[in-house]
Amino acid sequence: MAVSEKAIEFLGNSLNTGKAIPGQSLTNSPDQPYKWEQPPEFVNSKEASLYIFETITVPETTSNLLLSVVNGVGVIDLASIILYSGFLEGKWNPDLMALLMEPTMYMIMALAEKAEIEYVLDSGENEQPKEMSPEKEINMLKGGISELDNMKKKATQQINEKVIPQEVKEMIETTELSPSLLEKVKSKPSSSLLGKGE
């Protein structure tokens, strides 16, 4: 089988620019597989949920997570990042990752509620509506909530709290969140100043 000059030129250009050659990922050594190509560390959703909870309740991680929630990042987005990172590290397979989505979202929402922070499920929830004519706006208001909003409400109402193990619920209840360094401190009046002058 003869190799054409165009094929040789393509391979040479690909190597020079650092692009992967088509099929290159299939030629990796079996002795050095990627983390996700190996058996996962967790195969049980309960154990994986406990691992995720322990990971997100590390003080530095919790503060970064809650800061993201304050900045309007959606709970769905944060849960996706946590779970995809775990997949890349070989912690779980894609099937278990899908099963862990709902419990992870509940954990993030519970931490936000414990810290008394309002959260959004989807980052696009707080976007301002597009400018429209007053007539169209009145028609839209009279027509009620759009079908997409109805679907979102249905989806959030169908979330089942029973997917979080009882141990995780108890750990959430007992977790103490340290106050923010930027939080305003309420000072008590000094008793030494009150007693003078009487």
Side-chain angles (χ1 to χ4, degrees), residues 117-136:
I117 297 172
E118 288 188 31
Y119 58 86
V120 293
L121 289 179
D122 187 18
S123 297
E125 283 184 11
N126 289 338
E127 290 180 5
Q128 297 294 327
K130 295 179 181 176
E131 293 285 328
M132 60 177 78
S133 68
E135 296 84 21
K136 281 187 177 181

Side-chain angles (χ1 to χ4, degrees), residues 26-186:
L26 303 174
T27 62
N28 287 346
S29 170
D31 299 332
Q32 298 175 343
Y34 291 111
K35 297 270 189 186
W36 63 84
E37 293 177 326
Q38 300 172 3
E41 186 176 330
F42 297 101
V43 293
N44 180 328
S45 63
K46 185 175 181 179
E47 292 172 2
S49 293
L50 289 172
Y51 169 79
I52 291 169
F53 184 74
E54 289 172 3
T55 302
I56 66 174
T57 54
V58 171
E60 185 178 328
T61 306
T62 304
S63 63
N64 288 334
L65 192 65
L66 294 176
L67 182 63
S68 297
V69 171
V70 167
N71 289 331
V73 178
V75 172
I76 295 171
D77 297 331
L78 293 170
S80 297
I81 291 167
I82 292 167
L83 294 173
Y84 187 68
S85 298
F87 166 71
L88 291 179
E89 294 170 3
K91 300 293 184 191
W92 38 75
N93 63 17
D95 298 326
L96 185 57
M97 183 173 76
L99 291 173
L100 292 170
M101 186 64 168
E102 193 173 356
T104 305
M105 288 172 56
Y106 267 117
M107 290 179 216
I108 295 169
M109 290 187 296
L111 286 173
E113 286 175 2
K114 184 132 178 120
E116 298 178 358
I117 297 172
E118 288 188 31
Y119 58 86
V120 293
L121 289 179
D122 187 18
S123 297
E125 283 184 11
N126 289 338
E127 290 180 5
Q128 297 294 327
K130 295 179 181 176
E131 293 285 328
M132 60 177 78
S133 68
E135 296 84 21
K136 281 187 177 181
E137 193 170 336
I138 291 171
N139 289 335
M140 187 173 173
L141 291 173
K142 285 182 181 178
I145 301 171
S146 70
E147 188 61 33
L148 182 58
D149 289 338
N150 286 333
M151 290 171 55
K152 281 185 180 180
K153 284 184 179 182
K154 277 184 185 177
T156 55
Q157 290 171 353
Q158 293 175 352
I159 295 176
N160 183 3
E161 291 187 26
K162 294 178 182 174
V163 297
I164 296 181
Q166 187 61 34
E167 294 89 4
V168 172
K169 288 181 184 177
E170 291 170 3
M171 291 170 86
I172 289 173
E173 293 299 322
T174 59
T175 300
E176 292 294 326
L177 297 175
S178 57
S180 169
L181 294 176
L182 300 176
E183 187 174 307
K184 186 174 181 178
V185 179
K186 295 179 182 177

